[in-house]
Amino acid sequence: MQLAGSCHCGAVHFTVVSHTPYPFMRCYCSICRKTAGGGGYAINIMGDARTLKVRGRANVAIYRARVDAAGGKRRTRSPGQRHFCSKCASALWIADPRWPEWVYPFASAIDTPLPKPADDVEMMLKFAVPWADVPTGRHHVHFDEYPVESIADWHSKRRLTVD
C-alpha cells in the first residue's frame, strides 16, 4: 500500500510503500511523548526504506535522542534518527541504521486513510506520564517495555499484511 505523508506547513511531502499499515502500536516512552506525542504517546507504522521518496528534503531535520547506555551510568546518542520538518516541527518518520531496510513514519504525518486496527498495543508503559489516558480492555494489550512481537509479526499473525 502506498502511503503519502506531509508536515503541517506543507514544506515536506513523502511517499513510502507499507505492507504493514495498521497503526496499532502506541509508544509511551519519553522520546516519543516529547517529540511527537500530544496524547502522551506516538504511533509508528513501518515502510520499505527503498521506496521512500521525499519532496522538500532540504526542510527535513534530524534529531537523535540521548539514551541511557548499557549499565545506565552514562548517556549516549541513539542511532535512531527522528526526521521532522525544520519549518513547522512536524514529526515525519524514524530511520535507524540497525534496520536499514525499514523506515517508520509517524501515523500522525500520514495523509492516506489508514485502516483501523481491531486491537492496540500500548508499549513502554513504564515511561508513561500519570496524565496519559492509557486505554484498557480486551482490545488493548499492555507492555512495560517493548513487546516481543514485531510490527511485521503483528500484521502477519492477524493476516493484515497488504501489497
Side-chain angles (χ1 to χ4, degrees):
M1 172 178 195
Q2 176 137 332
L3 303 178
S6 63
C7 66
H8 184 261
C9 74
V12 180
H13 291 266
F14 66 93
T15 59
V16 67
V17 172
S18 176
H19 301 291
T20 56
Y22 283 78
F24 74 96
M25 189 181 297
R26 298 174 182 160
C27 181
Y28 292 81
C29 80
S30 65
I31 302 165
C32 284
R33 175 174 39 87
K34 290 185 178 227
T35 62
Y41 60 87
I43 300 172
N44 291 85
I45 49 184
M46 188 170 78
D48 182 341
R50 297 171 301 174
T51 68
L52 179 66
K53 293 181 177 54
V54 181
R55 200 170 77 235
R57 190 175 285 276
N59 299 310
V60 175
I62 296 173
Y63 172 67
R64 291 179 54 212
R66 292 216 173 262
V67 295
D68 290 335
K73 293 186 177 181
R74 66 190 235 310
R75 295 182 59 83
T76 185
R77 200 167 294 284
S78 168
Q81 301 167 356
R82 292 169 180 273
H83 295 75
F84 64 96
C85 175
S86 63
K87 293 186 178 287
C88 69
S90 294
L92 301 169
W93 67 84
I94 298 173
D96 193 313
R98 294 173 291 184
W99 302 283
E101 66 274 20
W102 307 119
V103 63
Y104 301 92
F106 287 98
S108 58
I110 300 300
D111 300 318
T112 304
L114 294 171
K116 184 169 175 42
D119 50 58
D120 295 300
V121 169
E122 318 293 334
M123 66 177 232
M124 304 301 273
L125 290 173
K126 83 179 207 178
F127 304 105
V129 291
W131 56 262
D133 184 16
V134 179
T136 60
R138 69 176 245 231
H139 295 290
H140 296 276
V141 181
H142 291 185
F143 293 93
D144 283 340
E145 293 189 17
Y146 288 105
V148 174
E149 190 174 50
S150 70
I151 292 174
D153 291 341
W154 185 93
H155 280 77
S156 179
K157 181 180 177 181
R158 290 157 182 80
R159 295 187 175 105
L160 297 175
T161 303
V162 300
D163 292 328

